[in-house]
Amino acid sequence: MTDTSNLFQLAVTLLQQLISIPSFSKEEDRTADLINEFLQSHGVTTHRKLNNIWAWNKHFDPAKETILLNSHHDTVKPNSGYTRDPYDAKIEDGKLYGLGSNDAGGCLVSLIAVFLYFYDKENLKYNFCLATTAEEEISGVNGLELIIPDLGQLSFGIVGEPTLMQLAIAERGLMVLDCTAHGRAGHAAREEGENAIYKALTDIEWFRTFKFPKESEVFGPIKMSVTIINAGSQHNVVPASCVYTVDVRVTDAYRNEEVLEIIREHVASDVKPRSIRLKPSSIPKEHPIVQAGIALGRTTYGSPTTSDQSLLDIPSIKVGPGDSARSHTADEFVYVDEIREGIELYIKMLESIN
């Protein structure tokens, strides 16, 4: 299917149908059904695991590299500021309203349209793998991460998130650290015990002032922030432990494991990461897909927000119609012209490297 006007209309209609179905994280079964049925109705052979749907182009050639096209169909819950029905996908003044319209429905349906555009073409330079996935909003383990082993070898990925079709060529990773400084309890009136708070303060000062040797060309230094501190039981007891939480925003200059090792070498506290899954991601500015976007007038930047990019171990670019500033807001919307532009720009970028 190569008629982009028809693909645009199909995309808008599909997005309206998706919005009408509640699809909170872990509750996306009905939108997964809809996406599955939509793709099959256009002759696509689909695969499903839980609420994730994926497919490859019709003339898949295992000798060729594969491009991943990924976006998610789960949403957050509507906030209390809504003045409209969050599931009523009306178009007014060029705006398509509804929960998930901007994050990331516009991106999702645009990438589905792009996949259909390339689906039955022969003699492509690359294969295409479309993955419409679940649990992105909660960084869940049953979303993209679950099916990555099923997708095969991937060359690079396009992750659909609202970026005004600008090119996010890097994304910070995230580690949340639960740290414990150990002392020894004693009576506050006498020279007894070892105050765990004072021990924690030494480490906290390290977190505040330490500069990692390598800096990202996009983001600059890694950012570490102590955000929670808990210690003590009553005023006259020297605390035996002090527990604090550190928010670490890892740049593409390091892997999460490297950062964790450096931290543990420098602080006396016990350091336990809640997870090291949310990795920093990047793609070289010289990569053909980035250069294709730049040639079309797109700009590059580093994204401060996390997405399913953090689960990929391949070069990936985050780009899509819509505006991140509208995500999770009341009366969420995406401009229908943004969807049209998204489809056209995705196709132009991909055709320039195919």
Side-chain angles (χ1 to χ4, degrees):
M1 182 184 293
T2 57
D3 182 349
T4 55
S5 295
N6 187 36
L7 287 170
F8 164 68
Q9 293 299 332
L10 285 172
V12 170
T13 300
L14 177 60
L15 180 53
Q16 289 179 299
Q17 293 171 333
L18 288 167
I19 289 169
S20 72
I21 303 170
S23 57
F24 308 138
S25 302
K26 295 189 175 183
E27 301 175 22
E28 314 96 338
D29 52 305
R30 291 172 59 206
T31 47
D33 290 343
L34 175 61
I35 293 166
N36 199 39
E37 291 164 6
F38 174 86
L39 290 170
Q40 289 181 356
S41 74
H42 288 87
V44 177
T45 300
T46 60
H47 307 268
R48 180 169 183 167
K49 184 177 285 187
L50 297 183
N51 295 328
N52 305 287
I53 309 295
W54 71 95
W56 291 281
N57 55 300
K58 184 175 182 180
H59 300 289
F60 182 91
D61 182 349
K64 296 177 180 178
E65 295 182 341
T66 301
I67 301 171
L68 173 67
L69 307 178
N70 166 248
S71 193
H72 65 95
H73 58 98
D74 63 313
T75 73
V76 297
K77 294 186 177 181
N79 65 54
S80 60
Y82 265 82
T83 64
R84 313 171 65 96
D85 181 348
Y87 309 109
D88 186 10
K90 287 184 178 177
I91 299 174
E92 297 177 6
D93 300 321
K95 299 175 181 178
L96 198 170
Y97 287 92
L99 182 66
S101 56
N102 179 77
D103 184 15
C107 304
L108 174 69
V109 298
S110 296
L111 285 173
I112 289 173
V114 170
F115 177 76
L116 292 179
Y117 177 86
F118 287 105
Y119 176 69
D120 57 5
K121 289 182 179 293
E122 298 185 58
N123 302 315
L124 293 169
K125 181 179 177 182
Y126 291 90
N127 298 307
F128 287 92
C129 177
L130 173 71
T132 69
T133 49
E135 296 192 13
E136 190 272 348
E137 296 290 5
I138 60 169
S139 300
V141 297
N142 289 320
L144 177 60
E145 184 176 29
L146 178 71
I147 64 168
I148 285 174
D150 299 292
L151 303 183
Q153 190 72 29
L154 301 169
S155 176
F156 70 91
I158 294 177
V159 176
E161 288 286 328
T163 71
L164 293 171
M165 288 306 293
Q166 304 306 328
L167 313 173
I169 61 172
E171 181 183 275
R172 282 194 177 97
L174 170 64
M175 284 196 301
V176 179
L177 308 178
D178 291 316
C179 304
T180 304
H182 296 283
R184 189 175 73 253
H187 198 294
R190 296 189 292 270
E191 294 292 328
E192 293 180 350
E194 293 180 82
N195 196 316
I197 293 176
Y198 299 156
K199 290 191 168 187
L201 286 175
T202 300
D203 288 345
I204 289 170
E205 181 65 6
W206 180 87
F207 279 112
R208 189 182 74 84
T209 59
F210 183 75
K211 302 296 183 185
F212 286 85
K214 294 186 292 184
E215 291 195 2
S216 165
E217 292 183 12
V218 179
F219 294 114
I222 288 174
K223 296 184 182 299
M224 298 190 292
S225 303
V226 177
T227 53
I228 303 171
I229 301 176
N230 287 294
S233 57
Q234 58 192 61
H235 76 89
N236 59 350
V237 177
V238 172
S241 65
C242 178
V243 178
Y244 57 99
T245 301
V246 187
D247 179 291
V248 184
R249 303 289 167 156
V250 184
T251 72
D252 53 305
Y254 287 90
R255 295 182 62 84
N256 285 355
E257 295 85 350
E258 293 178 278
V259 172
L260 182 60
E261 182 179 354
I262 291 169
I263 290 170
R264 283 174 167 164
E265 286 174 353
H266 284 83
V267 301
S269 301
D270 291 339
V271 178
K272 295 181 179 179
R274 295 181 185 177
S275 170
I276 57 173
R277 294 170 54 240
L278 304 180
K279 303 181 289 287
S281 57
S282 66
I283 191 168
K285 197 169 182 177
E286 298 74 28
H287 194 284
I289 194 66
V290 179
Q291 289 299 309
I294 292 172
L296 291 166
R298 305 294 95 187
T299 58
T300 62
Y301 72 103
S303 174
T305 59
T306 57
S307 71
D308 274 345
Q309 260 191 301
S310 64
L311 303 173
L312 295 171
D313 282 320
I314 56 172
S316 60
I317 186 170
K318 183 163 68 176
V319 56
D323 187 346
S324 180
R326 296 185 216 131
S327 299
H328 306 175
T329 60
D331 299 336
E332 183 181 347
F333 69 88
V334 64
Y335 289 102
V336 290
D337 282 347
E338 290 177 321
I339 297 173
R340 185 194 303 275
E341 179 191 45
I343 294 169
E344 292 174 353
L345 282 172
Y346 280 139
I347 288 173
K348 287 177 181 177
M349 289 168 63
L350 290 164
E351 282 187 331
S352 73
I353 64 170
N354 259 293

